[in-house]
Amino acid sequence: DAKTTQPNSMESNEEEPVHLPCNHSTISGTDYIHWYRQLPSQGPEYVIHGLTSNVNNRMASLAIAEDRKSSTLILHRATLRDAAVYYCIRANAGNMLTFGGGTRLMVKP
Amino acid sequence: KAGVTQTPRYLIKTRGQQVTLSCSPISGHRSVSWYQQTPGQGLQFLFEYFSETQRNKGNFPGRFSGRQFSNSRSEMNVSTLELGDSALYLCASSLMGGARGWGYTFGSGTRLTVV
């Protein structure tokens, strides 16, 4: 059974970088890797996505391992507003999303 | 622009009843997908509709069904409700389907409680 695994929780200090890991060892060659985050009482919010190469946007960076079996979401400077549950997701060619269990990020002031 | 709208926000139903949830996607988005979120199982894919056709279905029993209308609005129906169907049901819309990179915009969900 294909799985996407993430640590349950991580802690960071405000203004410091955060690296959120994800393991997707059974990913297929056409699956995209997406990251979303969810605040309490809200639906998930898009953060970033990629296929093979590293990606950057205004919110974060996504580093994808060369063998694509793992990826890391990087928040360059964590703020209190970044405290959320972060989901690593495999999206297959048929648009079916497989969610990881999510990592609860706590940011300390 | 308006986001994804899900109605109702909260719902309480009795075991054995049926329920219909509604999702209005972002204007112009043709793909609508549904997800179930529970503390035990996390987020699980239910199904995806594109241009009124179901393109994909997750591993859920036939009691879970859906449809999409010509204006891209979608409904999800659960028949013969069980206690285990209590969950947050999320809808997400996408221009063409998010896997290829257009991304998904999620609604805030419908919280269904079965008693």
Side-chain angles (χ1 to χ4, degrees), chain B residues 5-8 18-25 32-35 46-49 52 54 63-78 89-92 110:
Chain B
T5 303
Q6 291 189 246
T7 55
Q18 75 159 10
V19 67
T20 299
L21 311 181
S22 179
C23 172
S24 294
V32 174
S33 49
W34 289 87
Y35 305 84
L46 279 157
F47 29 66
E48 187 223 6
Y49 286 87
E52 302 179 65
Q54 186 182 89
R63 300 184 297 106
F64 292 82
S65 63
R67 59 178 175 168
Q68 186 180 32
F69 302 95
S70 58
N71 62 358
S72 292
R73 188 178 72 85
S74 177
E75 287 183 347
M76 190 192 99
N77 185 276
V78 188
Y89 289 89
L90 291 159
C91 158
T110 294

Side-chain angles (χ1 to χ4, degrees), chain A residues 1-63:
Chain A
D1 184 23
K3 285 203 180 289
T4 303
T5 56
Q6 305 175 247
N8 287 336
S9 63
M10 290 186 66
E11 216 173 67
S12 170
N13 293 317
E14 199 176 10
E15 302 289 312
E16 290 186 355
V18 183
H19 291 231
L20 299 168
C22 179
N23 181 287
H24 30 76
S25 57
T26 58
I27 194 169
S28 77
T30 57
D31 286 359
Y32 275 73
I33 299 158
H34 290 238
W35 284 82
Y36 281 69
R37 69 183 185 183
Q38 187 175 26
L39 297 168
S41 302
Q42 294 185 25
E45 171 193 32
Y46 172 82
V47 177
I48 200 166
H49 76 277
L51 183 60
T52 55
S53 53
N54 296 344
V55 184
N56 299 294
N57 67 21
R58 61 174 181 81
M59 288 182 73
S61 294
L62 175 60

Side-chain angles (χ1 to χ4, degrees), chain B residues 32-62:
Chain B
V32 174
S33 49
W34 289 87
Y35 305 84
Q36 182 195 65
Q37 186 172 26
T38 61
Q41 299 297 319
L43 275 151
Q44 294 183 284
F45 171 81
L46 279 157
F47 29 66
E48 187 223 6
Y49 286 87
F50 182 82
S51 293
E52 302 179 65
T53 301
Q54 186 182 89
R55 282 203 296 198
N56 293 286
K57 191 176 192 307
N59 190 25
F60 278 82

